[in-house]
Amino acid sequence: MEALIPVINKLQDVFNTVGADIIHLPQIVVVGTQSSGKSSVLESLVGRDLLPRGTGIVTRRPLILQLVHIDTEDRRKTFEENGIDGDEWGKFLHTKNKIYTDFEEIRQEIEAETERLSGTNKGVSDEPIHLKVFSPHVVNLTLVDLPGLTKVPVGDQPNDIELQIRDLILKYISNPNSIILAVTAANTDMATSEALKVARDVDPEGRRTLAVVTKLDLMDAGTDAMDVLMGRVIPVRLGLIGVVNRSQLDINNKKLVADAIRDEYAFLQKKYPSLANRNGTKYLAKTLNRLLMHHIRDCLPELKTRINVLAAQYQSMLSGYGEPVDDKSSTLLQLITKFAAEYCHTIEGTAKYIETTELCGGARICYIFHETFGRTLESVDPLGGLTTIDVLTAIRNATGPRPALFVPEVSFELLVKRQVKRLEEPSLRCVELVHEEMQRIIQHCSNYSTQELLRFPKLHDAIVEVVTSLLRKRLPVTNEMVHNLVAIELAYINTKHPDFADACGLMNNNIEEQRRNRMRELPSSVPRDKGTAGGPQAGAEQVDGGTGGWRGMLKKEDGMPGDKNAFPPSPMRGNAVNLLDVPVPVARKLSAREQRDCEVIERLIKSYFLIVRKNIQDSVPKAVMHFLVNHVKDCLQSELVGQLYKSGLLDDLLTESEDMAQRRFEAADMLKALQKASQVIAEIRETHMW
């Protein structure tokens, strides 16, 4: 199991080469307030002075510190390969293969690299510094040193420095594969520990939190940390370990870490003899090594799954970016053909990528025809915008100066054409909606179906322009056909239409039935069969309504002088009368005959309008499909080839976007890293290490 930590170090190296943090590797994250002793704890684990020192905030960038235990064979191999003769050395990721044997030089490089990104104003950066230390005196560990928690900005620090540091710490400890090392000074109240508080925010059950109590030798006289170390004050599931740090005087006097560890052991034996074997730097290192190994063992299965999923995603991404173009002519023809095919498949509903959030392509065109257009036509009132007065006026205008004995047919044609004309606007709107959907299909194919086009923005723009131009050319042709469909209906009012003839027959039956009912209601003194018994004259009188001839009918129904309520009183006798000055009534009660004539015309209009509406509802979608949709489908391939497949356009159209080559390179590198990581984990499985 000891070999698990080097495996994680290998994985860390793999992902460091591509600068990726998409995989959360198991690591120990050190958290604490400023001057809590974090740096001293880390230097004790390394056994060397290598971290920057000073007052205030010193750690201003995350330091990912990998401790690698080496043996004699490793030292010999390093000497042969690099000419390095020494027991311990370090390597930075940003300095590539440079090896540091002087740990003072490592400290200076950390300071320089920190100032390079974070500046000299005590600001912080989330860009980590990667340092790997090889030594026979360390155990295998991966530690992350973070800036210390602070409350008040000092000097020229930004006002939100507290929030910046807290967000940075949360970024690392929120990794479920991390172990949190919460550092708190013994001479402070554990109940107010900021490190434990922030650890509890992301690990409320404490399953991955280990507490370290520093500065045991600096507690007030007469007090000790026995209750704290026993877990009686703040219980921590992974335990609490006390350590003794070097004082600032020890550091100034260059006291060696090894000497400090010996003094620490002597202090623990004297002050806490019963707990000495469960505290101290050496016990802390062993505990961290054990916890990290068990944590890695638990994380590896999920880590393997995550790596495999990412590898599949990057493989798909790399396939989408495509290979560099060798045969431009063939590539251009292939892309044009594929786009045309996907465009047609989207209309037919057989596309590879089917939209699930909204209707698209042929499905939306069907919806426009049968839902949008159909409902709009059905909502058009056959008599909309037509009042009874309009109908009566049309009847009178159609009769000229002669009173009509029958309802004139001209008035019906005039009014029904006016109503049929109202079907043209929704029909043209239907064409417009289908045209808009045909435009939307272009973008759909570009985004989902033919991602290769994204590699060549100029080709994409050219294809969009050609298809848009083709649709634009077909729009007036389709509109003209739809206009003609309505014009055809207006050109000839077919009163012999079977459906219309049936409606007229039914209407005549109703009128005849109403006439019989009125005849039954006449007084018994009026002969009902006079029209048949009295010859032609009697028949004429019956036509007049049986009330004293046609003059009587006019007086009774048409507002002649016999009707007191028809017109206003006449001017006084003896005065000149200007007929144009006689006021015409704006509204009046219709006579029985007028009411009957208007009802006849309205029923005829409604009957014929419904016939025409049914025809339009059927013929307009057919016209749109033939003149617009099917024509574009049939001509799209040839139009694209004719406009774009030209030798003079090849180089320009197949010019990749500026960042495509870079993205392909990065995706290829990431895929290689993921595949290599997968191999590393597979090797562990073969050795039955979990």
Side-chain angles (χ1 to χ4, degrees):
M1 187 180 293
E2 180 68 26
L4 285 176
I5 296 179
V7 168
I8 294 299
N9 290 338
K10 284 184 180 180
L11 294 178
Q12 185 72 58
D13 293 342
V14 168
F15 293 116
N16 285 345
T17 59
V18 292
D21 57 356
I22 58 174
I23 295 291
H24 296 305
L25 296 174
Q27 56 193 6
I28 299 170
V29 182
V30 184
V31 180
T33 58
Q34 288 184 22
S35 304
S36 61
K38 294 189 294 82
S39 298
S40 295
V41 170
L42 289 174
E43 287 182 337
S44 298
L45 294 173
V46 178
R48 300 294 295 266
D49 293 326
L50 78 163
L51 298 177
R53 292 282 183 172
T55 58
I57 182 171
V58 177
T59 304
R60 296 187 288 126
R61 287 179 60 182
L63 175 65
I64 299 179
L65 178 62
Q66 292 177 258
L67 305 183
V68 182
H69 179 82
I70 58 173
D71 52 22
T72 305
E73 180 63 24
D74 294 326
R75 293 199 300 273
R76 184 186 63 78
K77 186 182 298 184
T78 303
F79 175 75
E80 293 176 354
E81 293 177 355
N82 303 287
I84 301 299
D85 187 10
D87 290 341
E88 302 172 299
W89 65 89
K91 291 174 65 176
F92 287 98
L93 177 65
H94 63 273
T95 59
K96 305 303 180 185
N97 295 322
K98 183 178 179 180
I99 295 178
Y100 297 81
T101 55
D102 185 353
F103 281 80
E104 180 62 30
E105 190 178 356
I106 291 178
R107 184 208 307 272
Q108 294 172 359
E109 181 60 31
I110 293 174
E111 292 175 346
E113 182 64 12
T114 298
E115 292 185 357
R116 186 179 66 83
L117 280 186
S118 304
T120 58
N121 66 342
K122 300 296 183 180
V124 298
S125 169
D126 62 352
E127 187 71 24
I129 298 173
H130 293 267
L131 171 63
K132 186 179 290 188
V133 174
F134 301 84
S135 171
H137 309 301
V138 299
V139 294
N140 291 311
L141 288 175
T142 300
L143 302 143
V144 181
D145 186 22
L146 296 174
L149 290 160
T150 185
K151 290 292 185 182
V152 181
V154 295
D156 54 356
Q157 285 182 340
N159 293 330
D160 63 341
I161 187 67
E162 177 187 1
L163 184 60
Q164 288 187 29
I165 294 176
R166 185 177 180 84
D167 289 344
L168 178 59
I169 291 174
L170 288 175
K171 174 184 175 182
Y172 278 88
I173 65 176
S174 297
N175 170 15
N177 294 335
S178 66
I179 294 175
I180 305 171
L181 189 65
V183 179
T184 304
N187 56 358
T188 61
D189 189 353
M190 286 289 290
T192 61
S193 171
E194 287 290 332
L196 289 174
K197 181 177 181 297
V198 73
R200 188 165 294 178
D201 289 342
V202 297
D203 183 31
E205 297 182 1
R207 293 182 179 276
R208 51 189 183 89
T209 301
L210 174 68
V212 174
V213 182
T214 61
K215 304 181 181 181
L216 291 176
D217 57 333
L218 298 183
M219 297 188 68
D220 293 339
T223 63
D224 61 30
M226 183 65 71
D227 288 342
V228 172
L229 297 178
M230 293 292 291
R232 296 169 184 162
V233 178
I234 302 292
V236 181
R237 179 166 296 191
L238 295 184
L240 294 96
I241 298 176
V243 296
V244 177
N245 300 335
R246 289 181 300 167
S247 66
Q248 189 60 46
L249 179 62
D250 292 336
I251 295 172
N252 294 339
N253 293 334
K254 307 294 184 182
K255 183 176 182 178
L256 297 177
V257 175
D259 296 336
I261 291 177
R262 282 195 298 269
D263 292 344
E264 174 192 53
Y265 179 75
F267 174 83
L268 291 174
Q269 288 289 349
K270 177 181 178 181
K271 191 71 176 178
Y272 305 98
S274 62
L275 301 177
N277 62 340
R278 286 185 286 146
N279 290 276
T281 300
K282 289 186 177 180
Y283 182 77
L284 174 62
K286 293 178 181 178
T287 301
L288 290 175
N289 178 262
R290 175 177 54 81
L291 288 176
L292 187 59
M293 284 190 298
H294 285 284
H295 197 61
I296 291 172
R297 182 193 60 189
D298 296 338
C299 293
L300 274 179
E302 181 182 350
L303 195 61
K304 178 179 182 296
T305 301
R306 172 70 175 161
I307 289 174
N308 290 340
V309 169
L310 284 173
Q313 291 177 354
Y314 274 90
Q315 181 64 62
S316 176
M317 188 185 303
L318 192 60
S319 300
Y321 293 152
E323 297 295 332
V325 178
D326 296 326
D327 188 348
K328 292 187 175 181
S329 177
S330 174
T331 300
L332 178 60
L333 185 59
Q334 181 182 357
L335 289 175
I336 288 175
T337 302
K338 185 173 183 180
F339 178 88
E342 289 294 339
Y343 191 93
C344 295
H345 290 160
T346 303
I347 294 175
E348 296 165 359
T350 57
K352 180 179 179 181
Y353 298 90
I354 297 179
E355 184 66 60
T356 59
T357 58
E358 62 177 352
L359 292 179
C360 178
R364 192 172 189 86
I365 293 174
C366 179
Y367 182 86
I368 292 170
F369 285 156
H370 302 292
E371 298 293 333
T372 306
F373 179 57
R375 284 201 307 265
T376 302
L377 288 187
E378 291 172 2
S379 68
V380 178
D381 184 3
L383 300 176
L386 196 64
T387 65
T388 304
I389 296 299
D390 293 337
V391 177
L392 183 59
T393 302
I395 294 173
R396 287 184 169 183
N397 287 337
T399 61
R402 297 171 301 280
L405 296 177
F406 305 101
V407 178
E409 186 175 342
V410 176
S411 61
F412 163 71
E413 289 200 9
L414 175 67
L415 293 172
V416 81
K417 286 182 178 180
R418 171 179 165 180
Q419 298 306 102
V420 170
K421 183 69 174 175
R422 298 169 59 216
L423 298 176
E424 182 174 6
E425 182 180 351
S427 300
L428 294 176
R429 177 58 180 158
C430 176
V431 178
E432 183 181 350
L433 290 175
V434 174
H435 178 266
E436 291 175 358
E437 179 57 28
M438 300 283 281
Q439 285 283 147
R440 290 178 68 247
I441 295 175
I442 302 174
Q443 192 63 36
H444 174 82
C445 292
S446 301
N447 291 341
Y448 299 102
S449 304
T450 52
Q451 292 186 1
E452 294 91 337
L453 284 179
L454 300 178
R455 294 177 57 193
F456 311 108
K458 291 186 177 181
L459 175 60
H460 174 267
D461 294 343
I463 289 177
V464 171
E465 178 60 31
V466 171
V467 181
T468 302
S469 176
L470 178 60
L471 290 171
R472 194 185 303 119
K473 287 189 295 185
R474 298 305 302 173
L475 184 60
V477 177
T478 309
N479 282 335
E480 181 66 21
M481 182 60 199
V482 171
H483 172 77
N484 287 337
L485 289 176
V486 179
I488 288 170
E489 296 291 346
L490 295 173
Y492 180 65
I493 305 301
N494 182 17
T495 56
K496 293 294 185 180
H497 192 285
D499 295 341
F500 187 68
D502 293 343
C504 290
L506 181 61
M507 193 182 314
N508 290 335
N509 292 336
N510 292 338
I511 294 174
E512 181 64 24
E513 181 64 27
Q514 293 174 8
R515 189 189 68 79
R516 294 195 190 99
N517 292 337
R518 286 197 298 271
M519 292 296 291
R520 295 192 191 99
E521 295 170 359
L522 291 176
S524 59
S525 59
V526 179
R528 288 181 170 80
D529 299 326
K530 186 177 180 180
T532 57
Q537 181 64 30
E541 290 178 359
Q542 184 177 352
V543 173
D544 289 343
T547 59
W550 63 275
R551 289 183 178 84
M553 183 183 70
L554 290 176
K555 289 179 183 179
K556 196 151 187 79
E557 296 186 353
D558 291 339
M560 294 298 287
D563 186 355
K564 295 187 295 183
N565 299 324
F567 294 104
S570 300
M572 295 183 61
R573 294 176 182 272
N575 293 336
V577 178
N578 185 355
L579 295 179
L580 297 179
D581 291 337
V582 177
V584 178
V586 178
R588 63 180 176 81
K589 183 178 180 181
L590 298 182
S591 66
R593 179 181 176 182
E594 289 173 339
Q595 185 70 34
R596 185 175 66 251
D597 291 348
C598 289
E599 289 179 357
V600 169
I601 292 294
E602 288 176 353
R603 291 177 183 178
L604 292 174
I605 291 172
K606 185 174 182 180
S607 176
Y608 195 82
F609 180 87
L610 295 178
I611 294 172
V612 174
R613 186 173 72 182
K614 184 178 180 182
N615 294 341
I616 293 296
Q617 191 170 353
D618 179 64
S619 59
V620 167
K622 293 178 179 178
V624 175
M625 286 298 297
H626 177 72
F627 286 92
L628 181 61
V629 179
N630 290 343
H631 187 278
V632 171
K633 283 172 52 182
D634 296 340
C635 300
L636 182 59
Q637 171 80 9
S638 59
E639 189 76 13
L640 287 171
V641 172
Q643 295 287 338
L644 303 179
Y645 192 64
K646 300 176 181 178
S647 58
L649 299 176
L650 286 177
D651 292 337
D652 186 49
L653 292 178
L654 294 181
T655 300
E656 283 190 323
S657 58
E658 296 179 357
D659 61 337
M660 183 57 67
Q662 178 65 24
R663 282 154 55 185
R664 185 191 298 112
F665 177 77
E666 291 174 354
D669 276 358
M670 179 58 70
L671 182 60
K672 290 179 182 177
L674 290 167
Q675 291 172 341
K676 188 174 181 180
S678 182
Q679 292 175 358
V680 171
I681 295 179
E683 291 173 1
I684 302 175
R685 294 194 66 178
E686 291 177 0
T687 58
H688 306 286
M689 297 185 64
W690 91 77

